[in-house]
Amino acid sequence: MSLTTPYDPQNIFAQIIRGDAPCYKIYEDDNVLAFLDLFPQSFGHTLVIPKRSAACNILDVDTEALAKVMAVVQKLTRVIVDELQPDGVQVAQFNGAPAGQTVFHIHVHIVPRYSGEGLGIHAAGKADPAELEKLQARLQQRIAAQG
Ligand code: 5GP
């Protein structure tokens, strides 16, 4: 996928937005959706996406939608740090296959980092559904408590 490949409405995140595919949702508002990565690189790996932008990457997303995504990224990074107490946190966003992008609906990764733990392989091992459910519940409760 090049940086200028047209948006494919059948991509997996578009299916999740439409409700055609499941996700472990942790946050949603009118413009933004956040859910757990199915192939997490660390415990708590979360993805944040715009709901109303048919945009592949940072080049074609409209600025207002991107700003709304980033506001939620900051909010959820705080929630994740408060709840999971990592030692660090990476916020990442990839554009085009050569840069590591594998799903072509723009998204931002929140990847908590724990001292002494390496980063899991990108988009590789599938998480245990029971673990994801527990994590989803913890983060949803923390969001509800923090308002
Ligand atoms: P990218 O490589 O495009 O920056 O990130 C795409 C991310 O989406 C990867 O971290 C990958 O693990 C994740 N992913 C791929 N397919 C699915 C899926 O069906 N559901 C969820 N929740 N995450 C997915």
Side-chain angles (χ1 to χ4, degrees):
M1 285 278 187
S2 81
L3 288 173
T4 53
T5 303
Y7 184 83
D8 174 7
Q10 291 311 319
N11 77 74
I12 184 63
F13 293 174
Q15 292 181 43
I16 288 172
I17 291 166
R18 288 196 298 269
D20 294 343
C23 73
Y24 294 89
K25 179 166 65 180
I26 64 166
Y27 174 88
E28 183 169 22
D29 63 28
D30 283 349
N31 299 292
V32 180
L33 177 66
F35 50 90
L36 297 175
D37 198 297
L38 214 47
F39 307 88
Q41 288 186 272
S42 74
F43 184 62
H45 186 167
T46 296
L47 301 169
V48 186
I49 66 174
K51 283 164 61 177
R52 299 180 188 280
S53 285
C56 294
N57 57 50
I58 200 162
L59 301 173
D60 58 348
V61 68
D62 67 278
T63 307
E64 198 181 330
L66 180 62
K68 286 175 177 163
V69 166
M70 291 312 295
V72 172
V73 167
Q74 185 185 42
K75 175 188 170 82
L76 294 183
T77 300
R78 288 174 171 152
V79 165
I80 287 166
V81 167
D82 287 347
E83 179 63 27
L84 305 181
Q85 303 282 303
D87 303 295
V89 59
Q90 289 177 333
V91 173
Q93 192 273 316
F94 306 141
N95 303 284
Q101 187 175 11
T102 58
V103 177
F104 297 90
H105 177 106
I106 185 171
H107 52 279
V108 178
H109 298 259
I110 304 172
V111 185
R113 298 300 305 272
Y114 306 90
S115 293
E117 281 186 25
L119 200 58
I121 298 167
H122 185 55
K126 199 168 184 178
D128 173 7
E131 285 294 316
L132 290 178
E133 265 177 42
K134 273 194 272 178
L135 183 55
Q136 177 189 32
R138 280 179 70 180
L139 294 175
Q140 283 178 334
Q141 277 164 20
R142 174 68 71 158
I143 291 167
Q146 292 187 348

